[in-house]
């Protein structure tokens, strides 16, 4: 049996936020610092998908899962702010 696995989208597209958000050495956003798995170094800004998931990224259906995590983390953050 032979097979081929092509790894695509293995580099996070975080160039847009360099110098504005804390990044890991490998370019992924640092998350989970203050409350939820999707929280970033800026309060009220949440990350999901391949910019923060360096284990699975775009290779699996983790995008919808992490998007939902970010939405729930944002909801909790807004509730804590009294909104």
């Amino acid at each position: 049996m032979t097979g081929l696995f092509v790894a695509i989208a293995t580099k996070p597209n975080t160039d847009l936020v360099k110098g504005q958000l804390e990044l890991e050495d490998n370019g992924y956003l640092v998350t989970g610092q203050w409350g939820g798995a999707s929280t970033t170094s800026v309060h009220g800004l949440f990350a999901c998908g391949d910019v923060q998931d360096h284990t699975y990224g775009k290779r699996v259906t983790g995008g919808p899962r992490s998007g939902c995590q970010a939405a729930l983390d944002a909801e909790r953050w807004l509730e804590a702010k009294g909104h």
Side-chain angles (χ1 to χ4, degrees), residues 2 9 11 13 17 20-21 24-27 32 38 40 45 47 50 54-55 57 59 65 67-68 76-77 82:
T2 62
K11 179 184 180 292
N13 190 9
V17 297
Q20 300 173 55
L21 295 175
E24 297 179 14
D25 291 338
N26 57 6
S38 66
T40 67
L45 188 62
D50 65 323
H54 48 78
T55 304
R59 293 176 211 91
R65 175 198 47 83
C68 184
R76 286 186 208 104
W77 183 79

Side-chain angles (χ1 to χ4, degrees), residues 39-76:
T39 59
T40 67
S41 56
V42 174
H43 282 266
L45 188 62
F46 303 86
C48 64
D50 65 323
V51 297
Q52 60 96 316
D53 184 355
H54 48 78
T55 304
Y56 302 106
K58 290 182 181 177
R59 293 176 211 91
V60 296
T61 57
R65 175 198 47 83
S66 70
C68 184
Q69 274 182 323
L72 292 171
D73 288 344
E75 179 183 42
R76 286 186 208 104

